Amino acid sequence: QVQLMEFGGGSVQAGGSLRLSCKASTYSTHMAWFHQAPGKEREGVAGISGAVGDPRYADSVRGRFTISRDSPKNMVYLQMDSLKSEDTGVYYCASGVRASLRESDFRYWGQGVQVNVSS
């Protein structure tokens, strides 16, 4: 099993930035961040595979969000810039079995952190 813990959420004005962090209990090849907006289904926004990188992004965040990892520390990060009100919601860190942004490919989940973007 992989235990995941996110931190770094909070409130920010539109156009601002936040950095989310995820601490994993062990190294996992395929990691991702998911976003669940109020009243909507959870969707993958950024993923990363391998010790070096190979990032992938949803169209909604490409160019604004950056995923990275520090493999020796079992940490994954999500730098969120140019935040929009629609980025509001709960962000989950997840460990999966393949390089994708599909929820069904991810087996282990953190508890989530709240991000509020005010316009």
Side-chain angles (χ1 to χ4, degrees):
Q1 286 192 349
V2 181
Q3 295 179 330
L4 303 167
M5 180 177 291
E6 308 95 335
F7 44 97
S11 297
V12 65
Q13 289 190 331
S17 298
L18 279 176
R19 188 193 195 206
L20 304 183
S21 300
C22 173
K23 173 67 174 176
S25 58
T26 187
Y27 177 79
S28 178
T29 301
H30 306 294
M31 298 291 294
W33 287 94
F34 285 75
H35 170 229
Q36 187 165 25
K40 295 188 177 181
E41 294 186 352
R42 191 160 53 185
E43 62 176 3
V45 295
I48 193 166
S49 296
V52 178
D54 187 22
R56 53 200 176 273
Y57 299 96
D59 290 343
S60 59
V61 307
R62 187 174 290 113
R64 300 188 299 121
F65 290 10
T66 304
I67 189 171
S68 61
R69 71 189 306 168
D70 184 338
S71 295
K73 296 182 179 179
N74 295 329
M75 294 290 295
V76 179
Y77 306 98
L78 185 67
Q79 178 65 41
M80 304 186 295
D81 298 318
S82 302
L83 282 161
K84 305 176 181 179
S85 57
E86 52 262 45
D87 296 320
T88 291
V90 180
Y91 285 78
Y92 298 90
C93 176
S95 167
V97 297
R98 60 180 53 88
S100 85
L101 292 178
R102 291 191 302 266
E103 187 173 354
S104 59
D105 288 330
F106 289 81
R107 186 171 300 171
Y108 301 106
W109 298 82
Q111 81 286 355
V113 289
Q114 180 70 41
V115 171
N116 295 312
V117 184
S118 58
S119 57

